[in-house]
Each structure stands twice: as structure tokens, then as C-alpha cells.
Amino acid sequence: MKLSSSGHVRKYASVNYLKNEPKKPDVKTAIPGPKTLALTEKLGKIQNTGAINFFVNYEKSIGNYIVDVDDNVLLDVFTQISSIPLGYNHPRFHDVMKNSQNLSHFINRPALGIFPSADWPDKLERALLSIAPKGLKHVTTMACGACSNEQAFKLMFTAYQRRKRGEPTEEEKESCVYNKEPGCPDLVILGFDGAFHGRSMGCLNVTHTKWIHKMDYPHMDWPCAAFPKLKYPLEENVEENKQEEARCLEDVRRKIDEYNARGKFVAGLIVEPIQGEGGDNSASADFFCQVQAICKEKGVFFHVDEVQTGGGSTGTIWQHEQWNLPHPPDVVTFSKKMLTGGFYATDELLPREAYRIFNTWMGDPTKVLLLEEMVKVIKDENLLSQVKVTGEYLRSNLNELQVNLDKLW
Amino acid sequence: MKLSSSGHVRKYASVNYLKNEPKKPDVKTAIPGPKTLALTEKLGKIQNTGAINFFVNYEKSIGNYIVDVDDNVLLDVFTQISSIPLGYNHPRFHDVMKNSQNLSHFINRPALGIFPSADWPDKLERALLSIAPKGLKHVTTMACGACSNEQAFKLMFTAYQRRKRGEPTEEEKESCVYNKEPGCPDLVILGFDGAFHGRSMGCLNVTHTKWIHKMDYPHMDWPCAAFPKLKYPLEENVEENKQEEARCLEDVRRKIDEYNARGKFVAGLIVEPIQGEGGDNSASADFFCQVQAICKEKGVFFHVDEVQTGGGSTGTIWQHEQWNLPHPPDVVTFSKKMLTGGFYATDELLPREAYRIFNTWMGDPTKVLLLEEMVKVIKDENLLSQVKVTGEYLRSNLNELQVNLDKLW
């Protein structure tokens, strides 16, 4: 995110920040290094450490460079599972922390759903509504991506039932407390093969990547449709890819009909704009428009999971903005680079009752403080344009590499 | 938490802190007041505001007193749904924020499961292991209570299957990706009537309080056993309460047998030491010891949900410490006043594989920084003893009030 479209760095706080960045990686030890190994052993007495890559010196890490405890300096393209929006130790985030007016937010964590602070509506406005996907005026914060998806499912289930029956009956209210019909209807959410939507039990029903996330846990019988496996370069496989997308659209349609016919009504469909965990798979804008059209036709709510794609790394704040959908999605969830979890929703999905979508903290205002600053930095430094320039540079060079791939291997 | 056992405030930072507390509540407007009403209207354009009580001035709130945006000063006995451990604006929390060494934790949120900072093992040791329930040496942080319970269920499911089959088969690994048996077995967790364990879809299966949390959402058929409804004063209803607890124990036993017989094997049992959302119900230490004994007999893991009770407000850091269990619980979950979510677990429940219990952030080190300080304050100021003195004072006076209740109403 360093190059401006004119090739010069811009005249904001980030100038010095970028000046302080290392010029290149500097690897001094094996990775994991000796200090990481000693710390991993120590942590291993407390918890499973199988996923530890290395321990990090966060004070020393800067911009695009992460520094481990063995003083290895690495160009960080993984960015904490895609959750660091502006690199390490961004000066504008330091400023947020130094502002004493912000202090009380950090030490008095509110239950935001019942006791927000006076500046909360303005913060939501500036941090989240100012970048809301077109057509979505409602936003609610949550702690993380999985929680946001769980809430989105609940919104879709309720809106689906509301369309069907209007006001709930006493029988529904009573039976649901003990997990029984009619209060707990047999509704399902359709997901895609290769999708990852989180690891809580609701999200796991539509997560279809690796056994490590799912094995031994009871799951619901929710439909799983094929997701396009496109051939690259896209320009050379136009017809084949069109057929592949048609096959998947047909599968979406068939799965909805099948499950509806079995009385397991499909209330919603969830999709990632780019499958991350499942192997960086994407599809054309037209594919997603057609998925939405099928949803409209079948009375299924359309949920776009932008937990990994949201926040600007695709050149737009939301990847689905690039689809030019004729209608906004019914619900869009976010987390990671957005620093706070949460969801945007349409009027129809907005909960009608108090405490319907609720939990103790409902997110964390300290994350929204940082997000507010992040949104300003993205604007001030014109980062979305820079992402496009940098992205195009990376893509064209990867394309060139690809041409000569046979000679390399 | 203000009175020491000798009736004097203690000689730490909190002396001045308590001096600055208002002497009594001061209500100046109707509640909700005009400023709250205006802000609620504003927020109402963004999200459902049905649960808003009032907007808060967190800068002005101090100790036990919460100050709303209309300058009403209230004695806060609700403490942000029981999630404020040391009152508002505790000076020791201010000190944590002023320490510049802590700064990088706030602006570089790590993916703790793969890239922790060098001080992370020591922080876990000081903040969490120093107060671990007896016999539990493993701890993992999570973002919130619901997520912690979801992870605990997964630990119990996996340990249950591991006992049964040892190493997983290829068939299990493949089938689970598409939500199918044998990889996704029909295991269940037993919960209690009146229990509240969170609002994600896994947790909702064992939450049995109000329709507002559950209606319209599909649930699994998980067993729900009766929880004692004791008669007060306890001293005058000893025999009756003993029978009530025996009835509930019998129901636990019967539900486990019934579900096991139907091939829906009970892997775990979850219980709150004091039901909060469900109406402040508790039971005797003997009841919980017997629940654990039934679990041991039936091969069911025993999960104590201390999300609401943990953190010191019952006079011990963990309420279950007062039961004198012969064995530690298999898993204990926490959040709220503990500032971070997470779970303690036995050796047997500890995940064997990397990424088994995992998510992007795995909690938040900034919350553990504050928790570390909270644990020191509780020790330095002998707060657990003070809770006992204050609690006894409150209880005895409530008992007196109760005697004269008939005359009051």
C-alpha cells in the first residue's frame, strides 16, 4: 500500500512511518528461531501451541515488516490472518491512543446494547456508515466474524418466519424455549463447497474446508452447493468458465428446491466474495448477480460474508461493490481488517424486538475508535487507488511468471 | 466492594479513588432523560435500540457510581451485565493505559494462536494461571463467553470421541467436511432448565430462559434437565430442598440414560453455579458434587460455566471453589468480569492437534493486560474478604426485610 498512483509517497503522517520501514527482509536465524522455540515450550505447558509460527516483537514491527523475537525481519503478506489494515504501529493509531479523551473507552468496557456512551451514534456514523455498502443503512457491531455470521443467520431466520406468519404465536414462544417446533422451525442456510464462515456451531454448518475444524462435532443437515472452480488465465478460458459457473448456479437452484421440498426451508444463502481458507477461489460479478437473482426468486435472503474481503484490500471497501448488484445484499458481515466484527442489514432484516440480537458487550468501542481513524487514513492517503495500482502490478507480474511456469519447475 | 473487614478503606491507590466517589445517588431528570432520548432517536436510525436503558458519561462515572448523559448519578448494581470488575475508572486501570510499554498491544492486534508476543506466556501465567481453579493447568483465551462455551463443547465432543475410538479414521475426516456421520456424530450436551449459556447457535441449544433468544432459530434436540428451585430461607426448608435437589439429580440421570439409549450420546453437561438470566437460582454444594459424580459414572464431561460467577463477586474467584469437588471440573469457561473470554481445561480435554480450537484473534491481549492488573488489585486490596463481609451484610439485611415482607406489600 505504499505507492501512490503518481509513484510518490503522500504528504501525511505515513511519510515518516514509511521512512522508518526496513528496506528489505533480514533473516538471521532459522525460523522458528531459538527464542521462539524456548517461548513455545513455555506456552506449551499452558495450551496447545501447534499453530504457533513464531513469537513477535510488536514494538519493533513496522509497516509491512514484522519482526520476530529472534530479530528476523520479514515482509508480512499474511498480516495476522488478513486482520491488520494499515501495517504495524501506524502513527495515526498511536495518535488515537495518545488522545486522553479516548482513555475511558479502554478501561470502562460498556454493554453497548444498553449503556452506550454519548459519542456512540456519531462513531458508528463516521466509522461504519460512512463506508456502508450502497443501500444498507443499518449496522450493529459484534466481537468477531463468527459471531457476526451467527447473528446474520438469526436475522435471516426471523425475517423468513416473519414473512411467513406475521406476528409469532404463543405456541411458538413457548415451544422454542425447549428447542421444539413450531418455535424452532427446521430452517437452513445454504453455503458453498470450500467455504469458510467461522468455527462456532452455527457457522460450522456452512463451513466446508478441512476436517480439523469440524470433526467430532454434531452438525445440522444444511445444503452445500458447488462453488465455481475457474481456470486461469481467465481471458483464455471464457467459455469453459461460463459453463462452470452455470453448473454451480444450477446446483444452487437444485439444492434450494430439494431442501424446500423436504420441509427444510432455505431461509438464507451465505457466500464469500473470494473464498479464502478454501483456496482463494472467486467467480465473476455475473455469477454473484445471478446467485442473488435466484435468491430473490426463491425467497431466500442473500448474505455476503466480507469478513476477509472487507476493509479495502480488493480496491473497494467491500468486494461485492465490484459486482454491481441490482439490489443490496440483505446482510453483509465483517471483521478482521475492519477491527470490529458486525453486520450491515436492510430494513427488512432489522430486528423488531429489543434483545433479539444481543449479547453482553455487542462489540468493543475501542476497536471502533481505531476503525474511525483507519477510515480517515484510507481516505487521506487515497489508499484504495493505491491498492488498485499495487494489485495490478502484482497481478500482471504473476501473470508473466505463470507463462514461464513450465520452464521454472 | 468498599468496606474492609475492619471497616476502613485500605491504603492503596483506591483510597483517593473512593474519596472521589459520590456520596449517594443524585437523580436530576426522569430516566431516560432528555439527552438519552435524543441520542436514542439518533441511534434508532442505525440499529434497534429497544434495549437501551440510557447513554452514559463514562468519563464522569467512578467506582460504584454510573453517571448518565443527563447528569443523573446512580449507584450501579448492574455493572454492565455483571462485567465491570473494579468499578468505573479504577486508577490502576488508568496506570496500565499510561504505561507506554503497553501501547503496541492496543494498536497491533495479534492472531494470538500463531503470532503471540514474547510476554504472552508470562501474561497468561500472571493473569490467568495464578487464579486457575484447583487442578486445572491449561488455559486458552477467547473473545467472549458464548465463544468460550462453544469451544468447550468442541473440546468435550472431541475428548468423548477420542475415548471411544482413539485415532480418527479417514472416513471420519472426509465425511465431516459435509456435515455427515461418522465424522459428525450425533453427540449432545446436557443443560438445565432456566440456564443461559449464550446466544450463538451451539450455546442456544442449552439456553432455556426466554423466547426472545431462541424463537425462529433451528435448534438441536439436546437434553434439558430440571434445575433445583429451592425455598428460602434455606435454614427453614432443609428437608424440602433436599428432596427438590434429589428430584433434579434423578432427572439428570434419567435424561443421560434416555439420550444415550436413543444413540444421541451425552458427551458433556454444562451448568452455571448460579443461574443468572434464568432467575438467580442456585443449589447446594452437595448438589453440584453429585452432578459431577453422575457425570463420572456415565462418562460425561463436566463443564462449569463461570461466565457470570467468575472473577470474585461470590467471595472466591470461582464460585465452584465453594463446592469442594473431589475432582476438578473438566472445563471451566469465563468472560465478563474476567475481561477476556476463555476456558480452563484438564489434560484430557486439551486439544491434540494444531488449529483444532482456533480462530483469528483467540482473544485480545489488551484485555489480559487489564486482567493482570485486576488480579493484583484483588490481592493488594484483599477484595475477596471484603466481598464476603459486604455480601454477608447485604444477605442478612435482605433476610430481615424478607421476614417483614408481608407487611410491606
Side-chain angles (χ1 to χ4, degrees), chain A residues 39 42-43 45-48 50-56 58-59 69 78 80-81 83-84 88-89 93-94 97 101 103-104 106-111 113-118 121-122 124 129 137-140 143 150 154 157-158 161 165 168 172-173 176-179 183-185 187 193 199-202 205 207-212 214-220 222 224 335-336 339 350-356 358 360-361 364 367 370, chain B residues 39 42-43 45-48 50-56 58-59 69 78 80-81 83-84 88-89 93-94 97 101 103-104 106-111 113-118 121-122 124 129 137-140 143 150 154 157-158 161 165 168 172-173 176-179 183-185 187 193 199-202 205 207-212 214-220 222 224 335-336 339 351-356 358 360-361 364 367 370:
Chain A
L39 286 165
K42 197 168 173 182
L43 186 59
K45 291 179 183 131
I46 304 176
Q47 56 188 226
N48 182 300
I52 297 284
N53 279 239
F54 47 79
F55 282 75
V56 176
Y58 285 102
E59 288 80 10
V69 290
F78 192 55
Q80 309 291 328
I81 320 180
S83 72
I84 294 282
Y88 296 100
N89 286 302
F93 282 177
H94 273 271
M97 298 302 301
Q101 289 193 313
L103 188 64
S104 82
F106 288 89
I107 58 173
N108 302 300
R109 187 173 186 179
I114 43 180
F115 303 116
S117 60
D122 284 338
L124 288 177
L129 289 184
K137 297 188 313 256
H138 304 298
V139 70
T140 298
E150 293 263 343
K154 288 155 71 173
F157 289 137
T158 294
Q161 290 296 89
R165 59 120 202 265
E172 282 175 301
K173 290 181 180 178
C176 75
V177 175
Y178 299 103
N179 305 9
C184 297
L187 301 180
D193 197 8
R199 297 159 180 264
S200 51
M201 288 190 69
N205 289 324
T207 288
H208 304 289
T209 49
K210 300 169 186 148
W211 67 266
I212 199 84
K214 291 169 65 89
M215 195 184 68
D216 301 332
Y217 317 145
H219 283 65
M220 287 175 163
W222 286 13
C224 172
S335 189
K336 290 193 185 256
L339 303 171
L350 195 69
R352 300 289 191 274
E353 303 96 354
Y355 296 101
R356 199 75 163 102
F358 190 83
T360 298
W361 286 316
D364 183 341
K367 309 304 177 194
L370 293 171
Chain B
L39 285 165
K42 196 169 175 182
L43 185 61
K45 291 178 185 132
I46 305 177
Q47 57 189 225
N48 181 299
I52 298 284
N53 278 239
F54 48 77
F55 282 75
V56 176
Y58 285 102
E59 288 79 10
V69 290
F78 193 54
Q80 308 292 328
I81 320 182
S83 71
I84 294 283
Y88 296 100
N89 286 302
F93 282 177
H94 273 270
M97 297 303 301
Q101 290 194 313
L103 188 63
S104 81
F106 288 90
I107 59 175
N108 302 299
R109 188 174 186 179
I114 44 181
F115 303 116
S117 60
D122 284 341
L124 288 178
L129 289 184
K137 296 188 313 257
H138 304 298
V139 71
T140 298
E150 292 265 341
K154 288 156 69 173
F157 289 137
T158 294
Q161 289 298 89
R165 57 115 204 268
E172 282 175 302
K173 290 181 179 176
C176 74
V177 175
Y178 299 103
N179 304 10
C184 297
L187 301 180
D193 197 8
R199 296 159 181 265
S200 52
M201 289 191 68
N205 290 324
T207 287
H208 304 290
T209 49
K210 299 169 186 149
W211 67 266
I212 200 85
K214 291 168 66 88
M215 196 185 68
D216 301 330
Y217 316 145
H219 282 65
M220 288 175 161
W222 286 13
C224 172
S335 189
K336 291 195 185 253
L339 304 172
R352 299 290 191 273
E353 303 97 354
Y355 295 101
R356 201 75 163 102
F358 190 83
T360 299
W361 287 316
D364 183 341
K367 308 304 178 194
L370 292 172

Side-chain angles (χ1 to χ4, degrees), chain B residues 52-264:
Chain B
I52 298 284
N53 278 239
F54 48 77
F55 282 75
V56 176
N57 186 328
Y58 285 102
E59 288 79 10
K60 276 197 187 172
S61 299
I62 182 161
N64 292 304
Y65 287 86
I66 190 168
V67 181
D68 79 3
V69 290
D70 291 288
D71 263 342
N72 296 300
V73 179
L74 305 166
L75 177 64
D76 187 1
V77 293
F78 193 54
T79 61
Q80 308 292 328
I81 320 182
S82 200
S83 71
I84 294 283
L86 300 174
Y88 296 100
N89 286 302
H90 197 283
R92 296 277 290 267
F93 282 177
H94 273 270
D95 294 344
V96 171
M97 297 303 301
K98 281 179 197 151
N99 182 345
S100 63
Q101 290 194 313
N102 292 332
L103 188 63
S104 81
H105 291 287
F106 288 90
I107 59 175
N108 302 299
R109 188 174 186 179
L112 283 169
I114 44 181
F115 303 116
S117 60
D119 57 0
W120 186 236
D122 284 341
K123 290 226 167 302
L124 288 178
E125 180 70 44
R126 288 195 297 258
L128 283 161
L129 289 184
S130 72
I131 55 164
K134 205 177 138 192
L136 297 179
K137 296 188 313 257
H138 304 298
V139 71
T140 298
T141 53
M142 288 286 151
C144 72
C147 182
S148 306
N149 284 337
E150 292 265 341
Q151 307 311 322
F153 298 165
K154 288 156 69 173
L155 290 177
M156 295 191 287
F157 289 137
T158 294
Y160 188 89
Q161 289 298 89
R162 198 161 47 216
R163 273 186 184 175
K164 206 163 160 176
R165 57 115 204 268
E167 290 298 308
T169 64
E170 283 309 307
E171 196 193 354
E172 282 175 302
K173 290 181 179 176
E174 281 160 24
S175 58
C176 74
V177 175
Y178 299 103
N179 304 10
K180 299 215 186 308
E181 297 193 89
C184 297
D186 199 3
L187 301 180
V188 302
I189 305 287
L190 182 144
F192 285 94
D193 197 8
F196 182 91
H197 299 292
R199 296 159 181 265
S200 52
M201 289 191 68
C203 292
L204 281 175
N205 290 324
V206 282
T207 287
H208 304 290
T209 49
K210 299 169 186 149
W211 67 266
I212 200 85
H213 313 320
K214 291 168 66 88
M215 196 185 68
D216 301 330
Y217 316 145
H219 282 65
M220 288 175 161
D221 171 16
W222 286 13
C224 172
F227 192 81
K229 295 237 156 86
L230 302 186
K231 281 205 173 166
Y232 292 81
L234 294 175
E235 306 76 52
E236 292 171 25
N237 296 281
V238 173
E239 199 45 46
E240 207 169 337
N241 286 338
K242 203 178 252 180
Q243 281 175 25
E244 168 66 359
E245 292 192 342
R247 177 185 76 87
C248 297
L249 290 168
E250 190 45 43
D251 198 39
V252 169
R253 191 180 285 279
R254 182 168 52 234
K255 291 279 158 52
I256 295 172
D257 291 343
E258 265 178 33
Y259 275 72
N260 282 345
R262 286 166 50 202
K264 295 178 78 68

Side-chain angles (χ1 to χ4, degrees), chain B residues 317-330:
Chain B
I317 293 286
W318 309 107
Q319 214 276 329
H320 82 264
E321 292 179 81
Q322 298 174 36
W323 301 341
N324 292 311
L325 292 170
H327 314 278
D330 296 288

Side-chain angles (χ1 to χ4, degrees), chain A residues 132-180:
Chain A
K134 205 178 137 191
L136 298 179
K137 297 188 313 256
H138 304 298
V139 70
T140 298
T141 52
M142 288 286 152
C144 72
C147 182
S148 305
N149 284 337
E150 293 263 343
Q151 306 311 321
F153 299 165
K154 288 155 71 173
L155 289 177
M156 295 191 287
F157 289 137
T158 294
Y160 188 90
Q161 290 296 89
R162 199 162 44 215
R163 274 186 183 175
K164 205 163 160 176
R165 59 120 202 265
E167 289 299 307
T169 63
E170 282 309 307
E171 195 192 355
E172 282 175 301
K173 290 181 180 178
E174 281 160 25
S175 58
C176 75
V177 175
Y178 299 103
N179 305 9
K180 300 215 188 306

